Amino acid sequence: GSPYTARSGMILADGGKTLICWPAASGAVVIPEGITKIGNEAFQNSGLTSVTFPDSLLCIGSYAFSYCNSLKQVTFPQHLREIENNAFSGVPLTAIDLPASVQRIGDGAFQQWGPSAPVSVTVRNPYAVFGTEVLQYNYAMSAAFAGTFVVHGYAGSTAAAYAAALTEEYVRLYM
């Protein structure tokens, strides 16, 4: 048998736990409970305007939502553990609030590709591991847009160190 199944327009794997793709997805999408991973490139370049994640979601794959130009706001579930490389690269988010459960943020996860409003990033896990260029503009524009990210994190946290290394504005969170 095939390792893939189809349900409500979605292609799933791992016994229905990994959403591989949802070809007809556009506009406001609600990902069903029970999905634990959104696969690589699952929604890349799609016309999503909003996405609601299930509480069961643990991982968002590489390039999963990259270049979704109409996606402006995302609320992450409280049990999410990992956001893989370039998961939201090129997505015009202006507020990113990562729950304390997030342990790893991959390379270029929230990399921006053009001018936007200042991006507020809150990292609630003081020990979250950051990949490279997680919050930067693409390399060709990084100098022109330096200082457009405002990072919120705890004193002594990895978020504070990351913001300092990038010379981005840092706002201390208090427990």
Side-chain angles (χ1 to χ4, degrees):
S2 173
Y4 303 104
T5 58
R7 182 175 73 214
S8 302
M10 296 177 287
I11 305 299
L12 306 169
D14 303 322
K17 293 182 179 180
T18 299
L19 194 160
I20 300 297
C21 68
W22 195 344
S26 67
V29 169
V30 177
I31 296 172
E33 192 61 43
I35 301 293
T36 59
K37 179 173 181 174
I38 297 173
N40 297 348
E41 302 176 11
F43 293 95
Q44 185 177 39
N45 289 312
S46 71
L48 297 184
T49 56
S50 71
V51 61
T52 301
F53 295 114
D55 289 336
S56 57
L57 188 65
L58 302 175
C59 180
I60 299 172
S62 295
Y63 294 94
F65 294 92
S66 62
Y67 314 113
C68 289
N69 298 327
S70 298
L71 184 58
K72 307 263 192 263
Q73 184 177 3
V74 173
T75 301
F76 294 101
Q78 292 304 306
H79 302 290
L80 183 65
R81 291 185 195 150
E82 181 172 8
I83 300 170
E84 293 183 353
N85 298 350
N86 299 98
F88 293 90
S89 179
V91 176
L93 300 174
T94 56
I96 301 164
D97 191 344
L98 302 176
S101 60
V102 173
Q103 299 168 7
R104 183 180 173 279
I105 307 161
D107 297 348
F110 297 100
Q111 189 176 56
Q112 300 291 309
W113 289 90
S116 72
V119 180
S120 172
V121 182
T122 301
V123 182
R124 298 186 186 280
N125 178 349
Y127 309 106
V129 175
F130 284 75
T132 61
E133 297 183 349
V134 168
L135 303 175
Q136 291 175 308
Y137 280 88
N138 74 328
Y139 65 91
M141 292 195 253
S142 54
F145 297 106
T148 57
F149 289 96
V150 179
V151 180
H152 302 257
Y154 297 109
S157 68
T158 54
Y162 188 83
L166 292 177
T167 64
E168 297 292 349
E169 184 178 342
Y170 171 73
V171 176
R172 182 176 174 184
L173 290 180
Y174 295 89
M175 291 191 193

